[in-house]
Amino acid sequence: MQHTTSVFDLPEHLAAKADPALVERDEQLFTELSGSLEQTVTDLTARLATVRRSPAGHGQTAVERDAEIHRLVARLRGLRRHGPDLCLGRTVADDATAEHVYVGRQGLTDAAGEPLLVDWRSPAAEAFFAATPAHPMGLASRRRYRWHLGRVRDYWDEPLTPAALASNREDHGDDDGGREGDGGVGDALPDARSAFVASLGGSRTDRMRDVLGTIQGDQDAIIRAGSRGTLVVDGGPGTGKTVVALHRCAYLLYTDPLLGHRRGGVLFVGPHQPYLDYVADVLPDLGEDGVQTCTLADLVPEGAAAVPERDPAVARLKGNLAMVEAVEAAVRFYEQPPADGLLVETPWADLWLSPADWARALGSPDPGTPHNEARDGIRDEIVSILVDRLAEQGDDRYEDGAEVEDGAGLADDGAYGGDEGGDVSPDVLRAAVRRDAGLTAAVDRAWPLLDAAELVADLWAVPAYLRHCAPWTSPEDRAALRRPAESAWTDADLPLLDAARHRLGDPDASRRRARHEATVSSELEYRSQVIDDLVAADDDRESEVVMLRSSDLAEALAGAFDPDDVAHDHLVGPFAHVVVDEAQELTDAAWQMVLRRCPSRSLTVVGDRAQARGGFTETWQERLDRVGLTGVTVSPLTYNYRTPAAIMAEAEVVVRAAIPDANVPVSVRTTSGHEVRHGSVDELETVLEEWLAEHPDGTACVVGDPGFVGTSRVRSLAPELTKGLEFDLVVLVDPEALGSGVEGAVDRYVAMTRATERLVVLTH
């Protein structure tokens, strides 16, 4: 028989915990919470409808309206996902006269404006996550709830003072509900009665579980760290690095106004698509749906079809920071001023463009202007040089204001006089020079439009070009890098393609600008003719019709025609803050992809040096300093909350064989029943059938058997695609076939530590 109240739905063996003396205050809170939640959703829905009906406006008004709509939609989505289970738990102050503080996923008030829930990101909630018996932070105890389908299925009171501990024993006795022990770990670890330890053995799904209510003090301290500079979250398997990274995104967006959408927002970079699918629900559940998430491959168009680089030597060469500089040299190869001058013919005079003029024009773009986008400015500079030169020649045709030659010269108003005595405006002269076919062809040769993919492909296809751009490479290096022109791009190429695209800019920008200018010019010409006709037909020279000739009006008309819309790449940035998970895998070249999108250098870097497939012998500070990040702070996580100790013991032997100083975390879960099973590869189907029959819930993963076809509950993944994931059962097939050296050891280590309940190793 179950004891059920309005919210509490405790199993029979926990009936004592339903004593009204223990839950009455919570019952009252949950009742008020349900009513407030319903009213808040109604009010926010009405507010959203009002804002959407309001005029969009222009400029700052439009931006503020869009931001308000985004805020309301995000808050409504978060509230509608939950009922009373918005509440994570409560704190009881050491001061008996103080009110309990209830902590929620979002803040919520009652009709009088009094707080029912404080947002988990607020300072008032910090003690809920961070307090320990050694540092109670003014608390006597903390209660955490375990929710299921909107009902409390269990709760835990964690005493934080000796008096609270004695009281808790009186209320609940010494029964721990059959939960796992903590193996005698110290005060820094979760209490044996905590919701956190009790939840570690729960079945996994294809989505990361909601763990907000069980975040631990060491994790919370990192989540709440400031956004300035670069923070490295360093920890081994199961230490909660990904949990910290995701919740840190939500925390920073809530607390730091410099990181909002109008300031650039937050970019979250994960290691692979299965990982992004796994964590897809976490941020929306936290009320944040504006964080951009991607993999490194998503940052460039070629990433979708890129294949792994199988040659480690080639991967190292392409990942070298010097290779990024070779891309810069490859672009500069096309930015050299011509050694010969050029004669430009106009109806008024032949003009000489000298090599010095070429050098001046090609050096005119502002530093940092992308190559392709600089060309229009270079052409304009050349036209200015030639028009000024024509003016100088015109000045030479006058002496004391008298015309020396036959009417071709400078008129009194500064316009150029033609042979027939008419005036020619500077704009006409500029247009004539710009239309000169010879000059256009010369500019195209001197500063050609370049395509990023073609530029990088030429480096691999033309050894002489690569030698020119990367003189530090040896003949053997260039031979290894050589690829046929139609070869598939590899993941090692992507940082160089990104560098080339960033340096070159949009090759179509000039064409779009030209089309825009032609459209505006044609429309203005047509409207000018219409205005002239209207003015000519109006006898009143002071009427409002004459005002149509206003230059301000002409400018307004020109501004009515915007350039062609171009699909905006939301991953170009810049972003105010960037989070990189599994960052130990990034090469120096790959780091440049990240830093281009984060000029503020405000980053959260998450990783484990012992899980780097290519090896990681430096410190984090040394690695990041080399790529341009200084003042790095490293925050370690040292406890493994995922992997049972028996499994971790075997995994530790594997990784230390290749990386003796690997930072292997201490497992919290020490109870028996999680031993590693060894067998033959012929047993794969039997192992899976037995496990599926015994476990109606949960997920499994087969690692190392490409021929195995996954199902809805059993995944089949390569070891490198399991990073960041977790499964109840992991079956590692023929581990030695994964390779030797550091890469093979890391792949085995990563695969083994994905298991939360059972690991089976099958060999031939």
Side-chain angles (χ1 to χ4, degrees), residues 41-60:
V41 168
T42 299
D43 294 344
L44 288 174
T45 301
R47 169 63 180 159
L48 178 61
T50 300
V51 175
R52 281 176 165 162
R53 286 195 301 268
S54 66
H58 302 282
Q60 186 64 25

Side-chain angles (χ1 to χ4, degrees), residues 676-699:
V676 180
R677 171 180 169 182
H678 293 267
S680 167
V681 293
D682 298 332
E683 301 176 56
L684 175 59
E685 294 297 335
T686 301
V687 168
L688 294 175
E689 289 173 1
E690 290 177 352
W691 183 82
L692 290 169
E694 295 171 3
H695 298 81
D697 300 314
T699 60

Side-chain angles (χ1 to χ4, degrees), residues 379-459:
R379 187 190 299 273
D380 290 342
E381 182 68 17
I382 291 173
V383 170
S384 295
I385 291 171
L386 294 175
V387 170
D388 290 346
R389 186 149 300 152
L390 187 59
E392 293 170 1
Q393 292 183 9
D395 289 340
D396 291 341
R397 303 175 76 176
Y398 284 84
E399 290 181 1
D400 298 326
E403 189 175 359
V404 177
E405 300 197 19
D406 59 352
L410 209 63
D412 291 339
D413 62 358
Y416 301 107
D419 290 337
E420 298 176 357
D423 292 341
V424 181
S425 72
D427 288 342
V428 171
L429 292 173
R430 287 180 175 276
V433 173
R434 287 181 65 87
R435 286 195 300 268
D436 184 82
L439 178 60
T440 298
V443 172
D444 289 346
R445 290 191 301 271
W447 197 278
L449 291 176
L450 299 174
D451 177 79
E454 292 177 359
L455 184 88
V456 177
D458 286 346
L459 282 174

Side-chain angles (χ1 to χ4, degrees), residues 218-219 222 231-236 239 633-639 663:
D218 57 343
Q219 298 169 334
I222 298 173
L231 173 67
V232 175
V233 184
D234 179 70
T239 53
T633 300
V634 178
S635 294
L637 293 171
T638 56
Y639 294 106
N663 181 22

Side-chain angles (χ1 to χ4, degrees), residues 56-183:
H58 302 282
Q60 186 64 25
T61 300
V63 171
E64 291 175 355
R65 175 181 178 272
D66 290 345
E68 178 67 0
I69 289 175
H70 178 87
R71 184 188 69 80
L72 291 170
V73 168
R75 180 153 167 76
L76 273 170
R77 184 181 292 115
L79 293 175
R80 285 169 174 161
R81 286 173 178 260
H82 301 282
D85 55 346
L86 269 175
C87 184
L88 304 171
R90 77 181 194 194
T91 59
V92 178
D94 199 14
D95 178 0
T97 64
E99 292 290 331
H100 294 354
V101 174
Y102 287 84
V103 178
R105 299 173 185 281
Q106 297 190 43
L108 208 63
T109 60
D110 61 17
E114 294 298 318
L116 296 174
L117 296 179
V118 298
D119 193 291
W120 70 273
R121 295 165 288 192
S122 68
E126 184 173 1
F128 176 78
F129 299 101
T132 67
H135 303 284
M137 300 177 68
L139 301 185
S141 66
R142 164 177 53 215
R143 173 173 291 186
R144 301 179 191 259
Y145 306 106
R146 175 183 285 179
W147 294 90
H148 179 67
L149 299 178
R151 295 289 187 91
V152 176
R153 295 289 291 167
D154 200 355
Y155 68 86
W156 293 265
D157 286 326
E158 301 170 68
L160 299 168
T161 64
L165 178 60
S167 175
N168 187 68
R169 284 174 174 163
E170 291 176 4
D171 291 338
H172 301 300
D174 293 325
D175 178 27
D176 67 2
R179 289 176 290 278
E180 300 189 31
D182 65 0

Side-chain angles (χ1 to χ4, degrees), residues 519-576:
T519 300
V520 171
S521 177
S522 175
E523 184 65 21
L524 286 177
E525 184 177 349
Y526 168 74
R527 295 189 182 198
S528 178
Q529 183 60 51
V530 171
I531 292 171
D532 287 345
D533 293 344
L534 290 173
V535 171
D538 188 7
D539 294 333
D540 184 359
R541 295 302 177 183
E542 296 183 358
S543 70
E544 294 180 356
V545 173
V546 178
M547 294 178 60
L548 293 172
R549 281 182 169 157
S550 163
S551 60
D552 291 340
L553 179 59
E555 291 177 2
L557 291 175
F561 298 93
D562 295 327
D564 294 344
D565 290 336
V566 180
H568 179 63
D569 183 352
H570 295 286
L571 298 179
V572 169
F575 293 92

